[in-house]
C-alpha cells in the first residue's frame, strides 16, 4: 500500500510517500520538507496566520515534487494520511483539507494522524527497528513526555513536563542569550565549544521520585547567570554548555527511571530535541550500560516531517483503519485515546 503523508501542524510543510510492501527504511519512497523558519524569524516565533498561508502556497507543489521523486503518479496512491493534531488549527486545516479532498477525489481511504504518534513511530522507520514493548521519550518544541509503549497504538503516559517542553526551554534560553529563532539547534552548536562545568545548573525534579519534568526554573537560572556575567563570547558558549548538560542529564536520569519502572531496556527517542548530539550519545551510553539500546530516527526525521505521518498512517491504514468523509482538525488531542492497531476506527 502506497500512502501519501501530509504534515502541516506548525511551521514545516512535510510530504512523503511510504510503501508498506517494501517496509522498513526502504518503504520511504520519497520525502520533502519545506521549512518556514525564514518567514517567522523576524518575529522571533511562529505567527500562526502566516504559517497557514505559507502551507497553502507550498503544499501542492511539494506533493507534486514528492510524487515525482518517488517516480509515482497521483493515481498510484492507495491512501492518504494527514496530521489532524495536535497543532495550530489554521495550519492543520490546510493539510487536512488537501489530504481529505485528495483521498476523496482518488476514491482511496484517508486517515487523520496524531502528530506525536508520528514522532513516536519515526525511530521504527529505520532498519533494525525494535518491537514493543519499549519506553519512548518524546522531546519536541511542544512536548516532553515519557510513554510506555505496550504495542503500537497502546500508549501509557508515564511522565511529562509540568511547564516548558525541553525544546521550548532550548528556544527560550537561546532567545535570552541573543541567538536568532529557532534557537535550539543554534544553542546546541554553541554548546559544542563550551567548557563543561564552568556553569553548573540544577537538574530539575531529579532529587525526588517520579517521572515528570519541569524546565522553566532552569531557564530562569540561566537568565540570571547570563545577566550577571560579563556576557563575553566565551561566557555565552560556556553557559550554553552548562544548560545543555543540565537538560541532557535530567532527561537521561528520568529515562533510566522509566526503563526501571517499566522493566525494560529499550528506549526510543523522537521529536526535534532528539536531533541533539549530546543527548543521543548520552542515552545510547545509558542504555548500552544496562544491556539494552536506544533507537533514534535519523536527525532529519527528528524534527517535523511528512515521512513520520506517512508511516504512522500507513501502519493504521494497512490494519484496516479508515476515517469518514469529514475533514478533521483536532488542535488538542490526547494520544492515550488512540485506538490500538488491531481495532478498527469508526
Ligand atoms: O519536533 P519539532 O520539529 O516540532 C514540534 O513538534 O515541536 O521540534 C522542534 C524543537 C524546537 O524547540 C527546536 O529548538 C528543537 O526541537 N531542536 C533542538 C535541536 N534541533 C531541534 N534542540 C536541541 N538540540 C538540537 N540539535
Ligand atoms: Zn513535532
Amino acid at each position: 500500500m502506497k500512502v501519501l503523508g501530509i504534515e502541516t501542524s506548525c511551521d514545516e510543510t512535510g510530504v512523503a510517500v511510504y510503501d508498506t510492501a517494501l517496509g522498513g527504511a526502504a518503504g520511504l519512497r520519497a520525502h520533502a520538507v519545506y521549512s518556514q523558519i525564514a518567514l517567522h524569524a523576524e518575529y522571533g516565533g511562529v505567527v500562526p496566520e502566516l504559517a497557514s498561508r505559507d502551507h497553502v502556497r507550498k503544499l501542492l507543489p511539494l506533493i507534486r515534487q514528492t510524487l515525482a521523486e518517488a517516480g509515482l503518479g497521483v493515481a498510484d496512491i492507495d491512501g492518504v494520511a494527514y496530521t489532524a493534531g495536535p497543532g495550530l488549527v489554521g495550519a492543520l486545516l490546510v493539510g487536512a483539507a488537501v489530504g481529505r479532498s485528495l483521498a476523496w477525489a482518488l476514491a482511496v481511504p484517508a486517515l487523520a494522524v496524531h502528530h506525536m504518534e508520528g514522532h513516536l513511530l519515526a525511530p521504527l522507520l529505520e532498519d533494525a527497528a525494535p518491537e514493543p514493548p519499549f519506553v519512548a521519550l518524546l522531546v519536541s518544541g511542544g512536548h516532553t513526555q515519557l510513554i510506555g509503549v505496550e504495542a503500537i497504538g497502546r500508549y501509557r503516559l508515564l511522565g511529562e513536563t509540568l511547564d516548558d517542553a525541553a525544546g521550548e526551554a532550548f528556544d527560550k534560553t537561546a532567545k535570552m542569550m541573543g541567538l536568532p529563532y529557532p534557537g535550539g539547534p543554534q544553542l546546541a552548536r554553541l554548546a559544542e565549544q563550551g567548557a563543561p562545568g564552568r556553569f553548573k545548573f540544577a537538574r530539575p525534579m531529579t532529587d525526588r521520585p517520579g517521572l515528570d519534568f519541569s524546565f522553566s526554573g532552569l531557564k530562569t537560572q540561566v537568565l540570571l547567570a547570563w545577566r550577571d556575567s560579563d556576557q563575553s563570547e566565551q561566557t555565552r558558549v560556556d553557559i550554553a554548555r552548562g544548560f545543555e548538560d543540565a537538560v541532557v542529564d535530567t532527561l537521561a536520569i528520568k529515562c533510566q527511571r522509566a526503563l526501571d519502572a517499566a522493566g525494560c531496556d529499550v528506549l526510543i527517542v523522537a521529536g526535534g530535541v532528539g536531533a541533539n548530539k549530546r543527548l543521543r550519545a548520552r542515552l545510547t551510553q545509558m542504555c548500552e550500560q544496562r544491556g539494552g539500546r536506544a533507537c533514534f530516527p535519523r536527525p532529519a526525521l527528528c524534527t517535523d516531517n511528512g515521512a513520520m505521518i506517512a508511516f504512522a498512517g500507513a501502519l493504521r491504514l494497512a490494519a484496516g483503519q479508515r476515517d469518514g468523509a469529514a475533514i478533521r482538525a483536532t488542535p488538542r488531542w490526547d494520544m492515550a485515546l488512540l485506538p490500538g492497531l488491531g481495532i478498527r476506527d469508526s
Side-chain angles (χ1 to χ4, degrees):
M1 185 174 203
K2 295 179 204 63
V3 175
L4 180 74
I6 296 174
E7 156 62 34
T8 64
S9 68
C10 189
D11 59 346
E12 259 103 27
T13 316
V15 177
V17 179
Y18 191 82
D19 188 345
T20 55
L22 299 170
L28 185 59
R29 294 278 297 260
H31 89 104
V33 177
Y34 172 79
S35 173
Q36 302 179 354
I37 282 175
L39 175 70
H40 301 291
E42 66 175 294
Y43 305 98
V46 177
V47 183
E49 182 59 20
L50 294 183
S52 311
R53 292 178 192 195
D54 217 36
H55 287 308
V56 171
R57 271 191 290 269
K58 292 299 181 333
L59 184 53
L60 289 178
L62 211 59
I63 291 175
R64 283 195 199 97
Q65 177 192 326
T66 308
L67 287 172
E69 280 170 20
L72 298 171
V74 73
D76 295 318
I77 294 301
D78 306 306
V80 178
Y82 63 87
T83 304
L88 303 170
V89 68
L92 289 167
L93 275 168
V94 178
V98 169
R100 189 63 195 89
S101 311
L102 186 60
W104 178 267
L106 295 171
V108 298
L111 199 76
V113 173
H114 192 292
H115 180 80
M116 297 313 292
E117 182 180 47
H119 274 303
L120 189 150
L121 297 178
L124 310 189
L125 247 173
E126 305 298 347
D127 288 327
E131 296 270 336
F134 41 65
V135 169
L137 172 69
L138 297 184
V139 268
S140 71
H143 292 78
T144 298
Q145 295 183 326
L146 276 162
I147 292 172
V149 181
E150 285 139 39
I152 291 174
R154 292 192 47 207
Y155 308 122
R156 197 159 54 89
L157 184 65
L158 305 174
E160 66 181 335
T161 184
L162 305 178
D163 41 58
D164 292 350
E168 190 180 0
F170 262 95
D171 294 337
K172 287 181 176 171
T173 303
K175 194 171 181 177
M176 262 160 24
M177 293 204 296
L179 298 175
Y181 163 87
Q186 308 238 18
L187 189 78
R189 220 165 295 133
L190 280 192
E192 280 176 28
Q193 302 136 40
R198 179 173 162 215
F199 289 90
K200 177 104 179 143
F201 299 114
R203 275 62 175 153
M205 296 183 68
T206 55
D207 57 352
R208 67 194 92 157
L211 295 170
D212 287 334
F213 303 91
S214 165
F215 290 109
S216 77
L218 176 60
K219 183 186 63 191
T220 309
Q221 270 190 22
V222 175
L223 172 65
L224 296 177
W226 173 244
R227 211 186 51 192
D228 298 341
S229 75
D230 59 6
Q231 302 201 352
S232 67
E233 210 36 55
Q234 189 58 47
T235 296
R236 199 201 299 263
V237 298
D238 292 345
I239 288 182
R241 177 64 194 259
F243 168 79
E244 187 182 65
D245 281 346
V247 174
V248 167
D249 245 13
T250 305
L251 292 173
I253 291 167
K254 297 281 166 135
C255 285
Q256 187 152 19
R257 253 185 224 175
L259 290 171
D260 287 342
C264 146
D265 294 311
V266 177
L267 178 72
I268 66 166
V269 184
V273 184
N276 185 278
K277 283 188 201 151
R278 216 177 299 277
L279 181 68
R280 291 170 84 98
R282 179 70 196 280
L283 295 179
T284 300
Q285 184 197 28
M286 184 270 285
C287 289
E288 280 173 2
Q289 268 171 2
R290 50 192 294 147
R293 66 177 172 134
C295 307
F296 305 84
R298 68 199 83 163
L301 300 187
C302 284
T303 45
D304 290 349
N305 64 82
M308 67 188 196
I309 303 304
F311 181 61
L315 293 181
R316 289 184 173 277
L317 285 164
Q321 295 183 15
R322 272 115 184 77
D323 280 345
I327 292 167
R328 183 161 161 209
T330 313
R332 286 175 169 273
W333 185 2
D334 182 354
M335 206 162 70
L337 299 178
L338 289 173
L341 206 57
I343 304 163
R344 279 170 194 261
D345 219 350
S346 53

